Amino acid sequence: MKALFIGGTGTISTAIVKRLAEDLGWEVWLLNRGNRSSVNPEGVHQIICDISDEAAAAKALEGMTFDVVSEFIGFTVDQVERDYRLFRGKTKQYMYISSASAYNKPAAGYIITEGTTLANPHWEYSRNKIACEEFLMKKYREEGFPVTIVRPSHTYDERNVPLGVHGKKGFYQVIRRMLDGKPVIIQGDGSSLWTTTFNTDFAIGYTGLMGNRHAIGEAFQITGDETLTWDQIYQTIADALGVELRAYHVASEYLSAVGDKYGFDFEGSLTGDKSVSVVFDNRKLKRAVPDMRTNVRFDQGVRIALDYVLSHPECQVEDPEFDAWCDRVIEVLEESKSRI
């Protein structure tokens, strides 16, 4: 079996490429700009090309066909329209990474299935993903374009620690605050439900859909089965660090209002995603991929991630602006308590 990955070196796709190349014996090709070729497993073929240059991509792919084409960096309709032109008639399956954030916020019920309505008035990213899905499914219905939609939720690897509230430079400043004994902001009251998935577990579900005739024309959410509250997530991180968790709960609406002028998109990432309780019903995926299960619990995955991050200085990206913002938010809220 022969697969092409558009991208292929990100948090999710790296684990999938590794599983295909090392465990399942696929012939794997990556089409990207070659900036992270060092993470490619041995034997993976590289096409160095910027796919946004459609003419150059068409030339690089001339005469090639694939059993599966996997799109990991398609965020807008014009990008999937380009893919449709490039791969129509050249692949038996086109797999598009959408997002579980595309589900209606808030949904009618907290248990999410693939049939849950797609609508997100709070986040343009999610609305763009919905539009991409609609274009691709239209092409499937009208022309038989062999699309499979995949909706991940919060997937992480050894280089990332899942969090709700962080700055533009990523998660590390929150870890730094925990290590320094400072309070960390958690959206809401910390009791909403959330699901995280380690990337090697995600790869089991995804590779099980590749070349699977039951996946054509269908959408699948791929997540783990472990559901935790946000307080439990942060407490698990603190436990792994061996420090006391000093949780400071702040309403998502307030965070959105006071974060906007600093460029923190909490309207999208919180109100449109992480502040809403979700529990994923993965029965459809497990019917198609019986091997899918949670192998890496969150307490295990977060220890893997923290061990890696704390031993690799390049992952320790500090964010003084976000740190100062957190201090100011907490200071203002504490002052307001004394005025009532």
Side-chain angles (χ1 to χ4, degrees):
M1 298 286 279
K2 181 178 178 182
L4 172 72
F5 285 76
I6 304 169
T9 59
T11 296
I12 296 177
S13 55
T14 297
I16 297 168
V17 168
K18 187 175 187 295
R19 177 172 169 81
L20 287 175
E22 296 182 356
D23 300 334
L24 302 180
W26 281 57
E27 179 184 341
V28 181
W29 292 73
L30 307 186
L31 190 155
N32 56 44
R33 290 175 289 183
N35 294 335
R36 294 194 66 216
S37 57
S38 61
V39 305
N40 297 346
E42 185 176 350
V44 168
H45 306 278
Q46 177 83 58
I47 301 173
I48 297 179
C49 178
D50 184 348
I51 197 167
S52 64
D53 185 341
E54 185 174 342
K59 184 176 181 180
L61 294 164
E62 189 173 1
M64 301 183 74
T65 60
F66 302 92
D67 293 292
V68 181
V69 171
S70 296
E71 171 62 272
F72 281 84
I73 53 174
F75 302 102
T76 57
V77 172
D78 63 303
Q79 292 170 335
V80 294
E81 288 176 341
R82 173 207 63 211
D83 287 358
Y84 166 73
R85 292 189 294 269
L86 285 171
F87 299 110
R88 176 178 50 182
K90 296 184 178 181
T91 185
K92 297 174 184 176
Q93 184 181 27
Y94 173 90
M95 297 183 69
Y96 176 68
I97 288 285
S98 182
S99 171
S101 69
Y103 291 121
N104 197 20
K105 298 297 183 298
Y110 74 95
I111 297 179
I112 305 299
T113 73
E114 287 82 357
T116 298
T117 302
L118 303 182
N120 193 327
H122 304 285
W123 206 359
E124 183 181 14
Y125 164 82
S126 305
R127 293 192 297 272
N128 285 336
K129 288 290 190 179
I130 293 168
C132 290
E133 287 196 30
E134 290 173 344
F135 169 81
L136 292 167
M137 291 305 294
K138 183 174 185 290
K139 291 301 179 183
Y140 167 73
R141 289 190 297 268
E142 294 179 354
E143 304 175 19
F145 186 64
V147 63
T148 298
I149 305 294
V150 174
R151 299 179 188 137
S153 186
H154 203 154
T155 307
Y156 68 107
D157 64 3
E158 73 278 3
R159 300 173 63 90
N160 298 277
V161 178
L163 294 168
V165 181
H166 60 77
K168 290 176 283 188
K169 294 185 179 180
F171 67 90
Y172 180 71
Q173 194 62 49
V174 179
I175 303 304
R176 185 72 263 162
R177 289 180 69 87
M178 287 187 180
L179 291 170
D180 291 342
K182 300 178 74 172
V184 294
I185 294 174
I186 302 175
Q187 72 276 12
D189 64 0
S191 66
S192 60
L193 301 173
W194 195 244
T195 298
T196 62
T197 309
F198 203 71
N199 68 342
T200 52
D201 283 346
F202 185 95
I204 295 171
Y206 189 94
T207 55
L209 295 174
M210 297 179 72
N212 187 331
R213 69 174 62 244
H214 302 292
I216 304 300
E218 297 288 342
F220 295 87
Q221 55 198 24
I222 301 180
T223 77
D225 292 321
E226 183 182 21
T227 301
L228 300 169
T229 68
W230 277 104
D231 272 356
Q232 289 173 326
I233 288 172
Y234 277 75
Q235 186 63 62
T236 302
I237 296 169
D239 289 346
L241 290 170
V243 300
E244 177 188 358
L245 174 64
R246 296 183 61 196
Y248 197 92
H249 297 105
V250 183
S252 296
E253 292 84 354
Y254 184 91
L255 291 171
S256 177
V258 300
D260 186 61
K261 66 180 180 180
Y262 291 89
F264 304 145
D265 183 18
F266 295 135
E267 169 72 14
S269 66
L270 296 183
T271 309
D273 197 24
K274 298 180 182 67
S275 66
V276 181
S277 282
V278 290
V279 175
F280 294 96
D281 181 341
N282 292 317
R283 284 178 292 180
K284 179 179 179 180
L285 174 67
K286 290 179 178 179
R287 285 194 297 270
V289 186
D291 290 340
M292 181 61 189
R293 62 185 180 275
T294 297
N295 296 290
V296 183
R297 298 190 316 266
F298 183 67
D299 63 294
Q300 298 169 324
V302 81
R303 288 182 183 276
I304 293 170
L306 287 171
D307 286 346
Y308 186 94
V309 168
L310 296 178
S311 62
H312 288 75
E314 70 274 12
C315 296
Q316 300 167 26
V317 181
E318 301 208 12
D319 192 343
E321 180 187 32
F322 175 72
D323 193 49
W325 179 84
C326 290
D327 290 339
R328 181 59 178 156
V329 168
I330 293 169
E331 178 186 6
V332 168
L333 289 174
E334 287 299 302
E335 287 178 356
S336 72
K337 293 177 183 178
S338 66
R339 296 176 184 172
I340 300 175

